[in-house]
Amino acid sequence: MLIFLFIFFIVGNVWIYSLAGESWDNPSSPKYCDRVLYLYAFWTITLTYIGLFLLLCSYLCLLLGLYILKWSIVGRRR
């Protein structure tokens, strides 16, 4: 199930971001998409990437803090 969701997420990214520069809100266009639906999908994916970026930054800051703490504790013992 996780593999399916990951693949579906990637396909959704390609599908949504490929329409970003085109006229997707023209009803006569073959790539027509409802405005609310498109914007919801666009911002959901974009906020997911922002959240993953913030999570990664938090994790790296935590690792850096733990490294500095370990270095300061080991430095005191010598």
Side-chain angles (χ1 to χ4, degrees), residues 4-25:
F4 170 75
L5 289 174
F6 178 74
I7 292 171
F8 194 73
F9 182 71
I10 299 300
V11 169
N13 280 296
V14 172
W15 191 7
I16 294 299
Y17 287 126
S18 69
L19 293 176
E22 297 187 23
S23 178
W24 47 265
D25 57 349

Side-chain angles (χ1 to χ4, degrees), residues 47-58:
L47 290 175
T48 300
Y49 279 122
I50 291 170
L52 287 173
F53 176 74
L54 292 175
L55 187 66
L56 179 66
C57 287
S58 300

Side-chain angles (χ1 to χ4, degrees), residues 24-38:
W24 47 265
D25 57 349
N26 182 5
S28 62
S29 171
K31 295 185 177 184
Y32 172 73
C33 186
D34 183 60
R35 178 178 175 78
V36 174
L37 178 64
Y38 176 79

